[in-house]
Amino acid sequence: MNKETVLNVEKSLDPEDWSALKELGHRMLDDMFEYLQTVRDRPIWAKPSNFAVASMNQPLPKLPQDAAEVYGEFFTQVLPFNNNNTHPRFWAWVQGGGTPFGMLADMLASGMNPNVSLGDHMPMHVESQVIEWSKKMMGFPDSASGLLVSGASIANITALIVARNHFNKDIKKKGLRAVPAQMIVYGSAETHNCVAKGVEVIGIGSDNFRKVPVDEQYRVRVDELRRMIREDREAGNLPFCIIGNAGTVNTGSTDPLEELAAVAKEENLWYHIDGAFGAIPKILPEFSKQLKGIELADSLSFDYHKWMYVNYEVACVLIRDKNVHREAFSVAVNYLAMHERGLSGGPDSFTNYGMELSRGFKALKVWMSLKENGILKYAEMVRQNLRQAQYLAELVRQNTTLELLADVPLNIVCYRFNPGGISDSELNRINKEILMRLHEEGIAAPSYTLLNGKYAIRAAITNHRSRLEDFDVLVKETVRLGNELIA
Amino acid sequence: MNKETVLNVEKSLDPEDWSALKELGHRMLDDMFEYLQTVRDRPIWAKPSNFAVASMNQPLPKLPQDAAEVYGEFFTQVLPFNNNNTHPRFWAWVQGGGTPFGMLADMLASGMNPNVSLGDHMPMHVESQVIEWSKKMMGFPDSASGLLVSGASIANITALIVARNHFNKDIKKKGLRAVPAQMIVYGSAETHNCVAKGVEVIGIGSDNFRKVPVDEQYRVRVDELRRMIREDREAGNLPFCIIGNAGTVNTGSTDPLEELAAVAKEENLWYHIDGAFGAIPKILPEFSKQLKGIELADSLSFDYHKWMYVNYEVACVLIRDKNVHREAFSVAVNYLAMHERGLSGGPDSFTNYGMELSRGFKALKVWMSLKENGILKYAEMVRQNLRQAQYLAELVRQNTTLELLADVPLNIVCYRFNPGGISDSELNRINKEILMRLHEEGIAAPSYTLLNGKYAIRAAITNHRSRLEDFDVLVKETVRLGNELIA
């Protein structure tokens, strides 16, 4: 190889014309600010056009395409057909809407491009700071540990692995055959499905996730839980973990968390709380009693991208006992060995606390957002959503053609159009049609669930852009569509 | 509640002064372009200052802080102390350096803020397009399925879950106790530790990951593999999965992938290939023979943020049989039920193909990058890195005080300073010290491993900014430091 020849042709993926790409970047930034600033003026949803969908069925690109042209395709074919959780009338599933500052933080994180996994660099310390703040927010002790992950699914799986491996020290190396009988997890029938999926992932099997019946407020029945644990022990099974819910996905119910802690303690079981969104009111003094139980948990999951409104994706798992956490995931291999000095030094590797070795700089947007707003501002926004949920519930109660299908203990409102004299199955059909038209007409995007067989239009309010007037629109248009459908 | 009163105080997390934040955004963008354009002018590494580290030990912020001030802290305390895989002389671990265009794509993705999990919106289609392109790149059939994930760790775990659940259809619901004997996974002793960790995660236990011995080129010995499978069967164990390595982490070796495919077929085992970085040369015609085996695998993992240089984090897992993939992860719950129309319609949910329900828009940067560069440009960059590895190896061979510690079949070069007459243990101490000084003096950031007990300085070249001259620097400075240390 002739070095001189090769040098002449050495290339990179950096732009040949930096200023042209920078100019394009500025245009993108202006466009995104315009997009976010005007989100209220657009319909909540627009079905992706046939042209846009067809544009995602192209052959693998062989040759380079002009960057501005690529952006043009994004601008015309992707951006207009967002899932729109940025919109003030998005209350589907449970998704926060992000912020412009969070978007900028993600740009910085992506430009820096660190793998926040090991080594002596500041992104490692930023994530540690975010974990420390997370512990404070949730009343976990200073000695606890934690990790940022993609969402509550991975957070729950991470906690389940710690719980499983802690139950029997042989499981990590020898697998579940090291355990002489079937291990069992308990949680209410309203527990989010990602927990059952996690129980599948870790090899326990979802049949061994006991769905404990709930009371009329969709909270776990502790007497039933005790009975099921007793029956399992009598049958020779091995109970090892209780899942408490801070905010169920269907109705926002919160289990009696302190009572569950007491059961877990008595029975010597791991106590995990899935607080994907419902743990967030822990930052409000007025929830200190109801969410006291969080401080008693062995582990906790919650999302920053839901009710903390941080941009997708970022969640947190906290583990009370750092050593137990580390034992579940730590590895010792030559190519990851720590050094005393240099880039290969630094804090304990995050890979010792979770499944991932590749980890982007999710921490930056959380760190910057928490600083930008301060926890008191978040408290204010969460209270605003709580008030809005009560406001919507009240609008529903006051309307004779609408029916509230569940109590509203938090930020989720389940209701249906029900003018009377129509069968449940017919109401299910009508309300599903109402929901689809609310979307199609670009009015509002609640989502749905089934409660005792009844189709519920479900507004999950983790939206910092919503105003009371938006709920007026939802109610008015639900009634209009319902009346049109029965006319 | 008095609506008028409340309306007056309704707030959001959007900026009160949009133009001020936009201006700050433009400044950030200018700064990041400057940062990336001048990366070559800076030292490869600087130890985080005490002041910077101390700045990450603050109380949870209560009150809002000015956005520009928060950015100022980022700019002075975080950005200067990056892990610096963006630098042309970063060859530590295996990390790509990202691109400015990828950074912009991440800004767009974060601003849109979709949860790319379910629903009828374009981000779902963008990810599908990226999966289709990934299949083409890797020679997987049109009927295959795939998913974008955070990195090869999660990609490998995802594939292992599919393999495990496919082996016995009862595992998903009933857990591993449904299987009458111990399930066993096989892979070479050089397999990345994340596979053993994955075997722990899914409940099989890392003792049941059989580390098959390797030959002198660090490739799995197929005869040993056959013997170990036979012995396991004789012992009553249940072999179910073979892991092939396309590019091992220590030396970049590639197992005889077609032979492994033949063994898997004969033995009726799942065949997974960990191709974190080493699968990427599949896009080069000259590797078509060596990487032919990829087309025979049941599943494949590879990273986009390593040798495709896409910004952190994004990787891909491909599964040959879409139905088997879906069976392993699919869920059916009311609150995720698909509708015929509206936002709740759309393509099959990605949550049916993996562990996550919260999923950011990682697909956008891959889609935009593949279009911006075209696959031929990537092929050119990968060839450039391959040439650089050979160039470095040749420099090492030609220097009498350096020793090449392994063949260089791909992009990884393992060498040490060894002027002769020094014991291995002393050489280990000296070479570790050389590595730490290369970092501390800001010269270059290779990393390290142990090969047959010998400490190796290891350059993993997945860097689109490296030039031949950078390797001249590495060699010259290694020799200088070595000589200083023995003087």
Side-chain angles (χ1 to χ4, degrees):
Chain A
M1 160 175 19
N2 181 319
K3 185 178 157 190
E4 297 314 315
T5 313
V6 172
L7 273 175
N8 287 337
V9 298
E10 276 185 307
K11 291 185 177 165
S12 83
L13 294 182
D14 284 333
E16 284 178 29
D17 183 344
W18 280 88
S19 63
L21 186 66
K22 188 160 69 175
E23 199 184 307
L24 178 64
H26 284 296
R27 181 145 63 89
M28 291 176 179
L29 199 144
D30 281 338
D31 288 345
M32 289 310 292
F33 265 76
E34 173 76 12
Y35 175 80
L36 291 171
Q37 199 170 355
T38 58
V39 63
R40 176 173 284 282
D41 307 335
R42 286 189 297 278
I44 174 68
W45 182 73
K47 187 175 173 58
S49 70
N50 291 340
F51 181 74
V53 173
S55 75
M56 295 301 153
N57 189 16
Q58 303 296 316
L60 177 64
K62 281 209 175 73
L63 298 172
Q65 187 179 343
D66 179 63
E69 211 179 89
V70 175
Y71 175 62
E73 290 185 28
F74 163 83
F75 191 78
T76 55
Q77 281 135 243
V78 180
L79 185 62
F81 307 109
N82 197 357
N83 89 327
N84 283 345
N85 59 37
T86 48
H87 194 284
R89 287 190 297 280
F90 183 98
W91 308 300
W93 306 301
V94 186
Q95 304 180 11
T99 68
F101 196 60
M103 172 184 76
L104 296 174
D106 264 340
M107 174 182 74
L108 302 174
S110 181
M112 282 186 78
N113 197 51
N115 182 358
V116 189
S117 194
L118 76 173
D120 197 2
H121 50 92
M122 278 308 290
M124 297 285 289
H125 295 285
V126 175
E127 180 155 342
S128 293
Q129 174 69 95
V130 169
I131 297 296
E132 291 307 307
W133 288 347
S134 302
K135 284 152 58 176
K136 287 285 176 223
M137 284 166 55
M138 293 299 157
F140 263 57
D142 288 345
S143 57
S145 52
L147 193 73
L148 296 184
V149 294
S150 63
S153 295
I154 297 292
N156 287 331
I157 292 171
T158 303
L160 283 167
I161 291 166
V162 177
R164 182 198 67 182
N165 289 12
H166 180 61
F167 177 74
N168 181 315
K169 299 292 178 200
D170 286 335
I171 292 174
K172 188 175 176 185
K173 299 285 179 201
K174 297 185 190 307
L176 284 163
R177 294 189 73 78
V179 184
Q182 182 61 57
M183 293 170 69
I184 308 284
V185 186
Y186 304 82
S188 92
E190 293 291 302
T191 305
H192 193 283
N193 182 270
C194 72
V195 171
K197 181 181 265 196
V199 174
E200 291 174 353
V201 162
I202 69 168
I204 305 279
S206 46
D207 283 357
N208 302 305
F209 174 69
R210 297 274 183 267
K211 294 187 177 178
V212 183
V214 292
D215 64 18
E216 306 73 39
Q217 275 87 46
Y218 298 96
R219 296 172 305 197
V220 70
R221 282 186 52 187
V222 178
D223 56 337
E224 287 289 312
L225 169 65
R226 288 185 191 277
R227 182 185 60 77
M228 291 167 96
I229 294 172
R230 194 171 57 241
E231 284 180 7
D232 269 315
R233 293 211 194 271
E234 283 165 10
N237 292 326
L238 298 171
F240 80 101
C241 181
I242 296 175
I243 311 288
N245 292 290
T248 58
V249 60
N250 279 326
T251 66
S253 291
T254 292
D255 289 332
L257 299 176
E258 282 187 86
E259 282 184 63
L260 289 182
V263 176
K265 195 171 179 189
E266 276 169 45
E267 298 279 353
N268 197 26
L269 307 180
W270 188 275
Y271 180 31
H272 174 70
I273 293 180
D274 179 0
F277 60 97
I280 300 302
K282 180 82 180 150
I283 66 175
L284 307 180
E286 59 268 37
F287 273 79
S288 61
K289 188 165 182 303
Q290 187 185 351
L291 295 178
K292 179 83 180 162
I294 288 179
E295 296 166 33
L296 306 169
D298 294 303
S299 53
L300 170 71
S301 301
F302 69 95
D303 286 294
Y304 274 105
H305 58 222
K306 288 191 170 103
W307 216 354
M308 290 290 285
Y309 320 101
V310 177
N311 300 56
Y312 265 86
E313 53 182 49
V314 59
C316 182
V317 57
L318 296 177
I319 310 281
R320 176 166 306 274
D321 187 326
K322 181 176 180 165
N323 293 329
V324 169
H325 188 183
R326 195 179 193 283
E327 275 168 26
F329 291 107
S330 63
V331 295
V333 287
N334 298 330
Y335 45 88
L336 302 179
M338 305 261 309
H339 283 36
E340 295 76 30
R341 293 160 17 235
L343 173 61
S344 310
D348 195 13
S349 167
F350 285 116
T351 197
N352 290 325
Y353 299 88
M355 293 185 274
E356 296 170 322
L357 181 55
S358 291
R359 307 179 69 251
F361 196 9
K362 296 175 165 65
L364 185 63
K365 58 187 159 193
V366 184
W367 181 73
M368 291 181 72
S369 298
L370 279 168
K371 286 172 75 73
E372 185 206 17
N373 297 306
I375 202 72
L376 294 177
K377 180 75 174 278
Y378 287 105
E380 207 177 329
M381 301 311 303
V382 169
R383 278 193 197 103
Q384 181 168 295
N385 285 158
L386 288 165
R387 275 199 307 270
Q388 289 165 342
Q390 293 306 322
Y391 178 78
L392 172 58
E394 193 54 32
L395 289 180
V396 168
R397 280 191 208 96
Q398 286 172 4
N399 193 303
T400 52
T401 63
L402 298 180
E403 179 187 6
L404 198 63
L405 287 177
D407 289 348
V408 181
L410 212 60
N411 62 332
I412 292 182
V413 181
C414 290
Y415 72 95
R416 66 176 175 179
F417 177 74
N418 180 6
I422 302 176
S423 71
D424 270 348
S425 66
E426 184 61 11
L427 284 175
N428 285 0
R429 195 192 61 75
I430 290 168
N431 279 280
K432 182 177 175 186
E433 185 63 30
I434 291 172
L435 184 92
M436 292 193 290
R437 292 192 188 185
L438 284 169
H439 295 178
E440 285 180 310
E441 297 185 14
I443 297 163
S447 92
Y448 48 84
T449 193
L450 282 182
L451 294 176
N452 299 318
K454 296 172 184 169
Y455 185 100
I457 297 173
R458 172 178 159 277
I461 309 168
T462 55
N463 190 325
H464 66 89
R465 296 186 179 97
S466 298
R467 298 181 194 149
L468 293 186
E469 62 191 89
D470 294 311
F471 301 96
D472 295 338
V473 171
L474 175 64
V475 164
K476 184 176 139 240
E477 295 293 313
T478 301
V479 172
R480 174 184 63 82
L481 287 165
N483 283 327
E484 281 176 22
L485 282 164
I486 59 168
Chain B
M1 163 174 19
N2 181 320
K3 185 179 158 191
E4 297 315 315
T5 312
V6 173
L7 272 174
N8 286 339
V9 298
E10 276 185 308
K11 290 184 179 167
S12 82
L13 294 181
D14 285 333
E16 282 178 30
D17 183 344
W18 281 88
S19 61
L21 187 66
K22 189 161 68 175
E23 200 185 307
L24 178 64
H26 285 297
R27 180 144 65 89
M28 291 177 179
L29 198 143
D30 281 338
D31 288 345
M32 289 310 293
F33 265 76
E34 174 76 10
Y35 175 80
L36 291 171
Q37 200 171 353
T38 57
V39 64
R40 176 174 285 281
D41 308 335
R42 286 189 296 277
I44 174 67
W45 181 73
K47 186 172 172 60
S49 68
N50 292 340
F51 181 73
V53 172
S55 75
M56 295 301 154
N57 189 16
Q58 302 298 316
L60 176 65
K62 281 209 175 76
L63 297 172
Q65 187 179 344
D66 179 64
E69 211 179 90
V70 175
Y71 175 62
E73 290 185 28
F74 163 84
F75 191 77
T76 55
Q77 281 135 242
V78 180
L79 186 62
F81 308 108
N82 197 358
N83 88 328
N84 282 344
N85 60 36
T86 47
H87 194 284
R89 286 190 297 280
F90 183 97
W91 309 299
W93 306 300
V94 187
Q95 305 180 11
T99 69
F101 196 61
M103 172 184 75
L104 297 174
D106 264 339
M107 174 183 74
L108 302 173
S110 181
M112 283 187 76
N113 197 49
N115 182 357
V116 189
S117 194
L118 77 173
D120 197 1
H121 51 91
M122 278 308 289
M124 296 286 290
H125 295 286
V126 175
E127 180 155 342
S128 293
Q129 174 70 95
V130 169
I131 297 295
E132 291 307 306
W133 288 347
S134 303
K135 285 152 56 177
K136 286 286 178 223
M137 284 165 55
M138 293 299 155
F140 263 57
D142 289 344
S143 57
S145 51
L147 192 72
L148 297 183
V149 293
S150 63
S153 294
I154 297 292
N156 286 331
I157 292 171
T158 303
L160 282 168
I161 290 165
V162 177
R164 181 197 68 182
N165 289 12
H166 180 60
F167 177 73
N168 181 314
K169 299 292 179 199
D170 286 336
I171 292 174
K172 188 176 177 186
K173 299 285 180 200
K174 295 184 192 305
L176 284 163
R177 294 188 74 78
V179 184
Q182 182 61 57
M183 294 171 69
I184 309 285
V185 185
Y186 303 83
S188 92
E190 293 291 303
T191 305
H192 193 282
N193 181 270
C194 73
V195 172
K197 181 180 264 195
V199 174
E200 291 174 353
V201 162
I202 69 169
I204 305 280
S206 47
D207 284 357
N208 302 303
F209 173 69
R210 297 275 183 266
K211 294 186 177 179
V212 184
V214 292
D215 65 17
E216 306 74 38
Q217 277 87 45
Y218 297 95
R219 296 171 306 196
V220 70
R221 282 185 52 186
V222 178
D223 56 338
E224 286 289 313
L225 170 65
R226 287 186 192 277
R227 182 185 60 77
M228 291 168 96
I229 294 173
R230 194 172 56 241
E231 284 179 7
D232 270 316
R233 292 211 195 273
E234 283 166 10
N237 293 328
L238 297 172
F240 81 100
C241 181
I242 295 175
I243 311 289
N245 291 292
T248 57
V249 59
N250 278 325
T251 66
S253 290
T254 291
D255 289 331
L257 298 177
E258 282 187 89
E259 282 184 64
L260 288 183
V263 176
K265 194 171 180 189
E266 276 169 44
E267 298 278 354
N268 196 27
L269 307 180
W270 187 275
Y271 181 30
H272 175 69
I273 293 179
D274 179 1
F277 60 98
I280 301 302
K282 180 81 181 151
I283 65 175
L284 308 179
E286 59 268 36
F287 273 77
S288 61
K289 189 164 180 302
Q290 186 185 352
L291 294 178
K292 179 83 180 164
I294 287 179
E295 297 165 32
L296 305 170
D298 294 304
S299 53
L300 170 72
S301 301
F302 69 96
D303 286 294
Y304 274 106
H305 58 222
K306 289 192 170 101
W307 218 355
M308 290 291 284
Y309 319 101
V310 177
N311 300 56
Y312 265 85
E313 52 182 51
V314 58
C316 181
V317 57
L318 297 177
I319 310 280
R320 176 167 305 275
D321 187 326
K322 181 177 180 164
N323 292 329
V324 169
H325 188 181
R326 195 178 194 283
E327 274 167 27
F329 290 107
S330 64
V331 294
V333 286
N334 298 329
Y335 45 89
L336 301 178
M338 305 262 310
H339 284 35
E340 295 76 31
R341 297 167 3 244
L343 173 61
S344 310
D348 196 13
S349 166
F350 284 116
T351 198
N352 290 325
Y353 298 89
M355 291 185 276
E356 296 170 321
L357 181 55
S358 290
R359 307 179 68 252
F361 196 10
K362 296 175 165 63
L364 185 63
K365 57 188 160 193
V366 184
W367 181 73
M368 291 182 72
S369 298
L370 280 168
K371 286 172 74 75
E372 184 206 16
N373 297 306
I375 202 72
L376 295 178
K377 180 75 176 279
Y378 287 104
E380 206 177 327
M381 301 312 303
V382 170
R383 279 193 196 102
Q384 181 167 295
N385 284 157
L386 289 165
R387 274 198 309 270
Q388 290 165 340
Q390 293 306 322
Y391 178 78
L392 173 58
E394 193 54 32
L395 290 180
V396 168
R397 278 191 209 98
Q398 286 172 4
N399 193 303
T400 52
T401 62
L402 298 180
E403 178 188 8
L404 198 65
L405 287 177
D407 289 349
V408 181
L410 213 59
N411 61 333
I412 292 182
V413 182
C414 290
Y415 73 96
R416 65 175 174 179
F417 176 74
N418 181 6
I422 303 176
S423 71
D424 270 349
S425 66
E426 185 60 10
L427 284 175
N428 284 1
R429 195 193 60 77
I430 290 169
N431 279 279
K432 183 178 174 185
E433 186 63 29
I434 291 172
L435 185 91
M436 293 193 291
R437 292 193 187 185
L438 283 169
H439 296 179
E440 284 179 310
E441 297 185 13
I443 297 164
S447 88
Y448 48 85
T449 193
L450 283 182
L451 294 176
N452 299 318
K454 296 172 185 170
Y455 186 100
I457 297 173
R458 170 177 160 277
I461 309 168
T462 55
N463 189 325
H464 67 88
R465 296 187 179 96
S466 298
R467 298 181 195 150
L468 293 186
E469 62 190 90
D470 294 311
F471 301 96
D472 295 339
V473 171
L474 175 64
V475 165
K476 184 174 139 246
E477 296 292 312
T478 301
V479 172
R480 174 184 64 81
L481 288 165
N483 284 326
E484 283 175 19
L485 282 164
I486 58 168

